[in-house]
Amino acid sequence: MTGEMPRQAGFVALVGHPNVGKSTLFEALTGHRVIAANYPGTTVEIVRATGRRLGDTFIDSPGILSFPSRTEDEQATVRVLLDEELVGVLQVGDAKNLRRTLLLTVQLAEMGVPLTLALNMADEAHDRGLPPDSDGLSRLLGLPVVATTAVRGEGIEPLEAALRRPELASIRVRYPEPIEVAIRELAKLLPPASVRERSLALLFLAGDPVVEEWVRARCDDRRMGEAVRIRSVAAEALGTPLSSAILEARFEVVDSLVGHTTQASAGSRPIRKQRVSRMTTHPLWGLPLLAIVLYGMYWFVGVFGAGTLVGWLEGTLFGRYINPWVISAVGRVSAWDWLQDLLVGEYGLWTMGMTYALALILPIVATFFFAFGLLEDSGYLPRLAVLTNRIFRAMGLNGTAVVPMVLGLGCVTMATMTTRILSSKRDRLLVILLLSLGVPCSAQLGVVMGMLGGISMTAMMIWAGVVIGVLVVVGWLAARLVPGDRSVFVTELPPMRRPPLRPVVLKTVARVEWYIREVVPLFLIGSILLFILDRVDLLAWLIGVAEPLVVDWLKLPAEAATAFMMGFFRRDFGATGLFLIAGDGLLSPLQMVVSMTTITLFVPCVASVLMIAKERGAGTAAAVTALVFPLAIFIGGLLGRVLEFIGWSA
Amino acid sequence: MACAICGTRFDPEAEVACGSCPMSGACTLACCPECGYTTVDINSSRSAGLLARLFPSRTEGRPVGATLDGATIGGEVAIAGFSDAMTTGHRELLRAYGIEPGRTVRVEQHSPVTVVGVDETEIALEADLAKLVFVAAKP
C-alpha cells in the first residue's frame, strides 16, 4: 500500500552509502558547492542549502553503509534522521550495486519518512551492461525512483519532479517473533521521534550508539532499564546477536526485490578501467605506479609550483615590481616611521605577511590542491590505503589512516576533521598525533622542496627519512600506550575514473579560497605580533631565551630563533622565514636540513590546535602540543649531531 | 580455545581432558577433550603470553577448513560462513558490503591485502579478517 504525502517545503536529507555521489547531487540540486571526491568519507559534516528550483532546504549527510552506525560520520547521519523535522529523504544509491542500495532503502522505508530513490552513476551501470530498471523498481517499492548521473547533470529535472511527490514505501520486513514482540513492547515505552516507533525500536535493538544515547537522554532510569531488559530478553530468546538477525530478515526482502528487477537478469561485463584498478593495488605493479604518482606530484608541486611559480612571483613580480612600488607609496603617504615599519618594514604587514601568503604560499598550495584533486577524483586514494596498510599496521593503525594523512599534506586542519571516518577513538587519537607531529602541509612541503631540493637529493632523503622514521617510531610507541585494539582493515575500492577537469579546477579554486581566508589573516596577525614584540624589545628577549636551544642545541645561527618563534603560529610561516635566512647565505646545507626537519616536526598551526580541541577536547590538544614541541627540538639537535658525526656536508 | 589439530572448540578452564593428570593444578597447558592434543593456554602462562604478544602467530585463530585468504586468485568462491572468532561488528560490516553466506565473490588478489569483487564493487580486507571467512567451491 502506498500513501502519497502532502508536500510542503521543508528539510530534505540526502542519505546514501559512502561514495555514491551525494555531494555531487546536492550541488546539482542546490548550486551550493561542497567538496566531493572519489573516495569514501569525503563528507564528514552536515551541509545545508536551499534548492535551486525547489523551495526545500537540502541536507547533505555523510555516507552510511547500513544501520546501526559504526563511525562518527555515520552517526552524524543518524542524528539528522532522528533530530530533523524532515519532509522527505532522498536516498542516493549506486545504480550498479542494486542489492546494497536496496538494503539501505529497506531501512529508510521502515523509518516512515517520505522517500525518493535516485539511482546515481547510471552511466557506469550502462557501461557494465546493467541499465537501471527505475520503473520496475518504482512499482516494486511504491516510491519514485529516478536514474541520475549527477556528475553530468543527467536526470536532475526528473528527480526534482519526483521530489515534489515523495511517497511512503510499501516495503515491510517481517522479523523473527522475539524481535517482533520486542518491537511492540518498545513502541509503548520509547519516546516519540521523527522516525516511526518500529524503526526507532529496531535501531535500539540493533544497538545503534546514537539511538542509545538519544533514548537515554529522554527516558528516566526505570524506562531505560526496562528497554534494556526487553532487548536482553529478545537476544536470549534468539540466541544470536539481534543486529545480525535484523540484517538477515532485511536481506531476505532485498533478495526478493532484486530478483524481480530486470537488472538482476543482465550479466555484468568487465571494463578496461577495472584492469587499471587491479594494477594499482597489485603487489608488483602497484609500487612502481605509486612511485610514478609521487614523482609526478613532486615535479608539479615541488619543481613547477615551489620552483618556477614561486621564483617568478616572489623574485620578479613582488621583488621587482609590487614591493618596491608599495614601499615607495607608503613612504610618500606616511610621515610616521612606526607606520612605515608596520606596513613595509622587516615584519611589515605587506612585506612579510602578504608577500609570504601570496608570493610564497599561494602557488604551492594551488599546485598541490590541483594535483590532489586529480588523485582523489581518480579513486586512487583508497588504493593507496591498500598499498600502505602494512606500514600503518606497524604503527598500530590500518591503511584507512592514509586518507587523513594524505589530506594532511594539503592542510592538517582539514585532515584533523577527516579523522572522523576512522572507526575507533583510539585510531582517531593516533592519527591526530601523527598529523600534528610530522605531516607537512602543502605550503610547508613546497618550502622544504624548494630549500632542500636546491641542496641535493640526499638532503631531501635525510629530511624525509627522519620525518617518516619519527612518525613510525612515535606511532609504534603510541599504539602500545593508548588503550584499545587495532581496527582491522576493510574498505571499499571505488571504480577508477578519469578525473573530470572542470570539477577538479573548481575544487582547487574553492580550496585555495578557503586556504587564503584562513592563512592570510593568520599571517597578518603573526606579522603584527612580531612587529609589536620587536617594537617593545620583547622579540629580542624571546629570541635571547630561545637562543640556547637554537644556537647551542640545534647549532643554528641566532637569526633562526625568529623563524622558530614564527613557527609557533604556523610552521610553514616559520619554514618560510628559514627559507629567507638560507637565501641570505646564513645557513649551511647541514643547518638547512636540521632546521627544516625541526620545523616540520612542530605543531602545524594555531588553527590545527583549535581543531584538535574542537574534535577531541582541550586536554588532548594541550597534551599533543606539549609532546610535539620538545620532541621536535630534541630530534633536530640529535640529527645535527649525527650528521656532524658522519661528516655529511651536502 | 580451538584445538589446532581437530578444530574442536573448548574451554581450557574446564580442564575436561586433563583433570586426571597429577600436574593439572599448576599446569598452563590445555588438552583437547576430543583428540588430547596439548596446547599452551597463553592466558594462563605469563611467559608464553608475553612471547605470543611479542611474536604473534600468523595462523593463530585461523579456523579449520578453506578460508577466503587461501582462495585461488582469479577464481570465484561461495561464502560458506564466518568463524566464531569473528566479532559481530565485523560480520555485519562484511555482510553490508555483500560478503555473506551463500553469495559468490571473485578473488582478485591476496597481497598486500585480500581484494574480492562483490557485485560491481571491490572490497579490500586484511588477511586477519579474510582468514575468518569460510569459503566453498562455487555452486
Side-chain angles (χ1 to χ4, degrees), chain A residues 233-252:
Chain A
V233 168
E236 211 168 298
L238 270 173
T240 55
L242 289 176
S243 50
S244 300
I246 291 169
L247 192 63
E248 186 83 40
R250 286 172 179 159
F251 264 129
E252 273 179 35

Side-chain angles (χ1 to χ4, degrees), chain A residues 474-495:
Chain A
V474 171
W476 186 84
L477 279 172
R480 272 140 195 86
L481 293 171
V482 177
D485 291 326
R486 174 183 168 270
S487 308
V488 179
F489 178 65
V490 189
T491 194
E492 181 183 346
L493 303 177

Side-chain angles (χ1 to χ4, degrees), chain A residues 428-588:
Chain A
R428 289 190 286 272
L429 185 63
L430 289 177
V431 174
I432 283 175
L433 172 66
L434 297 179
L435 277 170
S436 302
L437 179 65
V439 178
C441 65
S442 55
Q444 195 191 1
L445 200 59
V447 177
V448 170
M449 286 176 177
M451 189 156 142
L452 300 185
I455 305 172
S456 67
M457 193 63 192
T458 332
M460 282 289 297
M461 305 260 289
I462 292 172
W463 169 83
V466 172
V467 171
I468 293 170
V470 169
L471 281 179
V472 172
V473 171
V474 171
W476 186 84
L477 279 172
R480 272 140 195 86
L481 293 171
V482 177
D485 291 326
R486 174 183 168 270
S487 308
V488 179
F489 178 65
V490 189
T491 194
E492 181 183 346
L493 303 177
M496 290 289 285
R497 297 175 185 133
R498 181 183 300 168
L501 192 62
R502 189 179 172 273
V504 173
V505 170
L506 286 177
K507 200 154 49 175
T508 306
V509 170
R511 280 178 168 152
V512 167
E513 182 191 323
W514 182 85
Y515 202 86
I516 287 180
R517 277 187 190 175
E518 192 206 294
V519 169
V520 173
L522 277 172
F523 272 38
L524 295 180
I525 290 168
S527 302
I528 291 174
L529 211 58
L530 284 172
F531 169 79
I532 294 170
L533 290 174
D534 188 40
R535 296 292 286 196
V536 298
D537 289 332
L538 256 176
L539 190 62
W541 179 80
L542 278 171
I543 289 170
V545 171
E547 244 180 52
L549 277 177
V550 174
V551 177
D552 299 337
W553 175 246
L554 293 173
K555 297 196 173 179
L556 298 174
E559 287 83 349
T562 320
F564 282 107
M565 294 303 302
M566 298 187 312
F568 280 102
F569 296 102
R570 289 188 62 89
R571 59 183 176 189
D572 49 325
F573 199 21
T576 314
L578 291 168
F579 185 72
L580 295 179
I581 293 172
D584 293 339
L586 295 174
L587 296 178
S588 68

Side-chain angles (χ1 to χ4, degrees), chain A residues 65 70 96-97 99-100 128 130 241 243-244 247-248 251 268 277-278 281 283 383 386 389-390 393 486 488-493, chain B residues 88-98 100 103 106 108-109 111-113 115 118-126 128-129:
Chain A
L65 194 59
R70 293 172 182 83
K96 62 187 181 300
N97 280 305
R99 202 164 174 278
R100 278 173 59 189
R128 292 172 189 232
L130 300 164
S243 50
S244 300
L247 192 63
E248 186 83 40
F251 264 129
S268 157
S277 160
R278 277 165 209 165
T281 55
R383 285 156 177 87
V386 167
N389 185 53
R390 276 189 188 149
R393 197 187 164 104
R486 174 183 168 270
V488 179
F489 178 65
V490 189
T491 194
E492 181 183 346
L493 303 177
Chain B
T88 305
H90 284 143
R91 197 173 298 201
E92 285 167 12
L93 181 65
L94 292 186
R95 294 187 70 182
Y97 275 129
E100 56 152 344
R103 303 271 298 162
R106 301 179 303 281
E108 292 173 3
Q109 66 183 68
S111 177
V113 298
V115 176
V118 186
D119 293 332
E120 299 305 310
T121 312
E122 289 175 314
I123 308 295
L125 64 158
E126 256 176 18
D128 285 357
L129 206 53

Side-chain angles (χ1 to χ4, degrees), chain A residues 340-464:
Chain A
Q340 283 188 30
D341 259 8
L342 175 65
L343 295 174
V344 293
E346 190 183 355
Y347 306 110
L349 285 173
W350 183 266
T351 39
M352 181 187 244
M354 293 301 279
T355 307
Y356 276 23
L358 301 179
L360 284 161
I361 306 298
L362 182 66
I364 298 166
V365 293
T367 45
F368 176 83
F369 282 141
F370 183 77
F372 186 73
L374 289 176
L375 268 192
E376 61 178 2
D377 277 22
S378 68
Y380 186 71
L381 286 183
R383 285 156 177 87
L384 192 58
V386 167
L387 285 177
T388 55
N389 185 53
R390 276 189 188 149
I391 301 168
F392 284 100
R393 197 187 164 104
M395 293 190 267
L397 291 163
N398 69 51
T400 317
V402 82
V403 175
M405 297 288 259
V406 176
L407 259 176
L409 293 172
C411 174
V412 175
T413 311
M414 247 195 305
T416 303
M417 209 159 75
T418 311
T419 55
R420 291 181 201 174
I421 64 167
L422 302 174
S423 57
S424 74
K425 272 189 180 170
R426 175 188 171 277
D427 288 7
R428 289 190 286 272
L429 185 63
L430 289 177
V431 174
I432 283 175
L433 172 66
L434 297 179
L435 277 170
S436 302
L437 179 65
V439 178
C441 65
S442 55
Q444 195 191 1
L445 200 59
V447 177
V448 170
M449 286 176 177
M451 189 156 142
L452 300 185
I455 305 172
S456 67
M457 193 63 192
T458 332
M460 282 289 297
M461 305 260 289
I462 292 172
W463 169 83

Side-chain angles (χ1 to χ4, degrees), chain A residues 94-362:
Chain A
D94 179 353
K96 62 187 181 300
N97 280 305
L98 196 56
R99 202 164 174 278
R100 278 173 59 189
T101 298
L102 290 181
L103 177 64
L104 197 59
T105 310
V106 166
Q107 295 170 76
L108 291 169
E110 281 179 330
M111 292 184 178
V113 183
L115 188 61
T116 305
L117 173 60
L119 291 174
N120 197 31
M121 302 192 283
D123 55 338
E124 290 183 358
H126 277 283
D127 286 348
R128 292 172 189 232
L130 300 164
D133 178 16
S134 316
D135 294 340
L137 262 180
S138 183
R139 278 192 299 275
L140 277 170
L141 301 169
L143 296 173
V145 179
V146 182
T148 58
T149 305
V151 73
R152 292 190 203 153
E154 288 169 12
I156 304 302
E157 281 186 29
L159 180 65
E160 285 174 330
L163 279 166
R164 291 192 179 95
R165 46 174 183 81
E167 292 183 32
L168 291 176
S170 54
I171 318 159
R172 188 179 166 90
V173 183
R174 177 78 196 163
Y175 295 98
E177 199 46 33
I179 293 179
E180 290 289 349
V181 170
I183 292 170
R184 284 195 292 276
E185 288 180 13
L186 283 171
K188 291 180 222 156
L189 200 69
L190 297 179
S194 55
V195 298
R196 264 188 199 143
E197 294 153 345
R198 182 177 174 82
S199 171
L200 187 70
L202 281 162
L203 285 165
F204 182 79
L205 288 171
D208 189 290
V210 175
V211 171
E212 187 99 14
E213 182 190 301
W214 188 91
V215 172
R216 200 173 286 278
R218 287 162 181 80
C219 287
D220 54 30
D221 289 347
R222 189 194 59 78
R223 276 167 75 194
M224 189 66 201
E226 180 59 11
V228 172
R229 189 197 62 79
I230 292 169
R231 185 165 62 189
S232 307
V233 168
E236 211 168 298
L238 270 173
T240 55
L242 289 176
S243 50
S244 300
I246 291 169
L247 192 63
E248 186 83 40
R250 286 172 179 159
F251 264 129
E252 273 179 35
V253 173
V254 169
D255 283 335
S256 153
L257 288 169
V258 172
H260 284 87
T261 63
T262 55
Q263 202 185 39
S265 55
S268 157
R269 58 172 177 251
I271 54 169
R272 190 170 55 84
K273 287 174 196 159
Q274 281 173 311
R275 284 197 290 276
V276 178
S277 160
R278 277 165 209 165
M279 278 180 75
T280 57
T281 55
H282 191 273
L284 188 65
W285 301 114
L287 292 177
L289 276 172
L290 173 62
I292 293 171
V293 168
L294 291 178
Y295 182 77
M297 277 199 85
Y298 163 76
W299 183 88
F300 189 64
V301 181
V303 179
F304 176 67
T308 314
L309 286 182
V310 168
W312 181 77
L313 275 170
E314 197 223 351
T316 311
L317 189 66
F318 274 72
R320 283 197 207 156
Y321 301 104
I322 298 179
N323 283 3
W325 181 83
V326 173
I327 291 168
S328 89
V330 169
R332 280 198 304 275
V333 297
S334 167
W336 298 305
D337 282 352
W338 68 266
L339 188 59
Q340 283 188 30
D341 259 8
L342 175 65
L343 295 174
V344 293
E346 190 183 355
Y347 306 110
L349 285 173
W350 183 266
T351 39
M352 181 187 244
M354 293 301 279
T355 307
Y356 276 23
L358 301 179
L360 284 161
I361 306 298
L362 182 66

Side-chain angles (χ1 to χ4, degrees), chain B residues 35-49:
Chain B
C35 67
Y37 180 73
T38 308
T39 313
V40 178
D41 179 10
I42 55 166
N43 296 319
S44 304
S45 168
R46 282 188 186 173
S47 48

